[in-house]
Amino acid sequence: FCTLLVPMVSNLQLFVAGVVCLLLWRFVNALPTPKRTRTKRRRVMVVLGSGGHTSEMFGAIEQLPKEDWAQKTVMYVVSATDKDSRGVAEGFEMAWLGREARVFEIPRAREVGQSYFTSIFTTLHAFGAALTLVFDMHPDTILTNGPGVCIPIVAANILVSTLFINRPRATMTYFESFTCVDHLSLSGKIMLRLADAFTVQWPELAEKFKRKNVHYAGRFGDKPADTAKLIPAADKGMLGVGKERRTCVVTVGSTCFDELIRAVDTTEFYTAVTALGINHLFVQKGRSTVELSDKFPSMLMSREVVEYRPGLPALIRKASLVISHAGAGTILEALNAGVPTVVVPNERLMSNHQLQLAQALFARRHLLYTTPSGLAGALQSGGWADLRAFPKPTGTVMRRIVNPLLE
């Protein structure tokens, strides 16, 4: 019996070793490689997060040649609990190219605050849906910028190309979030070794990670840019000069930030904003249960209070002043539109990289940065005169590095 068993075990070991070697070879083949030549219409899968992630993604896409993007078959992927990104994608494609957007949903891998134990099961659920989507849609390239929904898609891309010889791995481009000033996000740490192209937005981060696939795609130099003043001296510190309706937008996103809502409902705050020329106050209070009083000077200004409003970015772009928690999406919308911005971080809810973002932009004189208790004082401080216009993106890296991966 032993004489018969030994050859069987030996053959089994050889078989297992062969399978392992084959899988390893396929996995290595699925890692970043030079661009494969394809002649068919390229299929691009864009993974959207929510809020700031979605805003950043479309900001990056807009830097690509419009005529090239129009030739792609584009598929957007959103998480099932993301209520906004589908509409943003549909609006973007219609406004930019006049075409319908193809949007697919997969379950969210992990909700904010969800326990790591239960995350195991929700992540597996999301991975199963991602595997089906990647296999069916067969993308040629994937664009993502860090939301948790990207990891199941990336894992599915690698697994499909590993198991099926006739399915080459889709090239992957990862845009690290603008909120990551001097360290990578968790998704960024994973994607650093998997992405064909990996872009960062801050020179500090580019200096720290000097790898072949890492490219600086930000708008800052090593020193704060000597850009034009945000508010012309002729305006004498007044905001929204020339506008009939000078709106101050206060927003906390989808969070609960009672301290900020209370801070914008004080006599000191109303005195400060009316002195700046504001005559309309729009408050988007999110999940806060604070009810605003009738203290506001109705003879000098009007006020609107909502929990949430679709199309808030458009309102921000027309505003004369924005007061916001440290959400990257709101900050970018305001700064890109040249709207004076005051950031009031919610340190109880906020992750460390958001606090660093506010501090870094304050240091470069692109916005004011304060606390709820110091808001009225910051508005009266006269710091507006030092604010500098936000630099425009050059788009060089997007055209030179990313666009070739889409060809």
Side-chain angles (χ1 to χ4, degrees), residues 248-264:
C248 170
V249 173
V250 179
T251 174
V252 301
S254 60
T255 67
C256 178
F257 195 179
D258 290 344
E259 293 87 349
L260 177 55
I261 301 303
R262 292 192 183 99
V264 301

Side-chain angles (χ1 to χ4, degrees), residues 174 196-201 206 209 211-218 397 400-402 405:
Y174 181 87
D196 298 271
F198 187 106
T199 69
V200 296
Q201 308 299 314
F209 295 95
R211 296 171 62 94
K212 184 179 179 180
N213 66 329
V214 176
H215 308 278
Y216 174 60
V397 168
R400 180 173 57 86
I401 303 297
V402 178
L405 292 173

Side-chain angles (χ1 to χ4, degrees), residues 48-322:
L48 300 177
S50 58
H53 286 296
T54 296
S55 298
E56 290 185 54
M57 176 59 76
F58 286 110
I61 292 173
E62 286 180 323
Q63 297 176 43
L64 295 169
K66 184 177 180 179
E67 60 276 12
D68 290 351
W69 190 254
Q71 299 303 314
K72 308 294 186 291
T73 297
V74 182
M75 302 160 280
Y76 294 97
V77 180
V78 302
S79 67
T81 57
D82 184 353
K83 305 302 182 184
D84 302 320
S85 294
R86 172 184 287 273
V88 175
E90 292 171 344
F92 174 82
E93 287 288 333
M94 184 57 65
W96 212 37
L97 297 171
R99 67 184 183 186
E100 299 290 334
R102 301 179 66 193
V103 184
F104 300 89
E105 290 186 359
I106 66 170
R108 191 179 183 93
R110 182 175 183 266
E111 297 288 352
V112 176
Q114 183 180 347
S115 72
Y116 288 108
F117 176 73
T118 58
S119 296
I120 296 173
F121 305 102
T122 54
T123 299
L124 289 174
H125 185 207
F127 175 69
L131 191 62
T132 301
L133 181 62
V134 170
F135 185 83
D136 290 343
M137 295 295 103
H138 193 186
D140 297 307
T141 189
I142 295 173
L143 304 181
T144 184
N145 67 342
V149 69
C150 85
I151 299 303
I153 292 290
V154 168
N157 179 39
I158 293 175
L159 182 60
V160 168
S161 61
T162 299
L163 296 179
F164 298 92
I165 296 178
N166 64 334
R167 295 288 294 267
R169 181 188 65 80
T171 59
M172 295 186 290
T173 298
Y174 181 87
F175 310 118
E176 183 57 289
S177 174
F178 184 63
T179 61
C180 295
V181 178
D182 63 2
H183 67 280
L184 297 179
S185 62
L186 177 58
S187 297
K189 292 175 182 177
I190 295 172
M191 292 299 298
L192 184 62
R193 292 170 175 78
L194 298 175
D196 298 271
F198 187 106
T199 69
V200 296
Q201 308 299 314
W202 291 85
E204 296 92 328
L205 211 51
E207 183 66 24
K208 185 177 292 187
F209 295 95
K210 294 182 176 180
R211 296 171 62 94
K212 184 179 179 180
N213 66 329
V214 176
H215 308 278
Y216 174 60
R219 53 184 93 197
F220 305 115
D222 295 330
K223 298 179 180 179
D226 188 20
T227 51
K229 288 189 174 182
L230 183 62
I231 302 174
D235 291 352
K236 298 180 179 180
M238 298 294 286
L239 306 182
V241 172
K243 295 181 180 179
E244 181 177 347
R245 191 177 197 184
R246 298 175 293 279
T247 301
C248 170
V249 173
V250 179
T251 174
V252 301
S254 60
T255 67
C256 178
F257 195 179
D258 290 344
E259 293 87 349
L260 177 55
I261 301 303
R262 292 192 183 99
V264 301
D265 190 31
T266 64
T267 301
E268 294 78 12
F269 173 79
Y270 293 126
T271 300
V273 292
T274 53
L276 293 171
I278 298 299
N279 58 17
H280 179 68
L281 180 64
F282 177 88
V283 181
Q284 182 267 312
K285 67 175 190 174
R287 294 187 287 109
S288 175
T289 58
V290 173
E291 296 296 332
L292 276 71
S293 68
D294 56 0
K295 297 176 184 177
F296 77 100
S298 57
M299 296 296 293
L300 299 176
M301 66 188 302
S302 56
R303 185 180 69 184
E304 181 181 358
V305 182
V306 301
E307 293 182 4
Y308 175 77
R309 173 171 170 172
L312 185 62
L315 183 61
I316 288 173
R317 290 192 290 270
K318 295 178 181 179
S320 299
L321 170 65
V322 170

Side-chain angles (χ1 to χ4, degrees), residues 375-398:
L375 177 58
L379 294 172
Q380 297 169 329
S381 68
W384 310 107
D386 296 327
L387 292 184
R388 299 287 172 174
F390 199 46
K392 300 296 182 183
T394 65
T396 302
V397 168
M398 293 298 296

Side-chain angles (χ1 to χ4, degrees), residues 35-49:
K35 181 183 67 174
R36 295 178 174 90
T37 302
R38 293 180 174 94
T39 57
K40 58 184 174 58
R41 186 181 177 96
R42 295 282 283 180
R43 294 183 293 268
V44 181
M45 181 171 283
V46 182
V47 184
L48 300 177

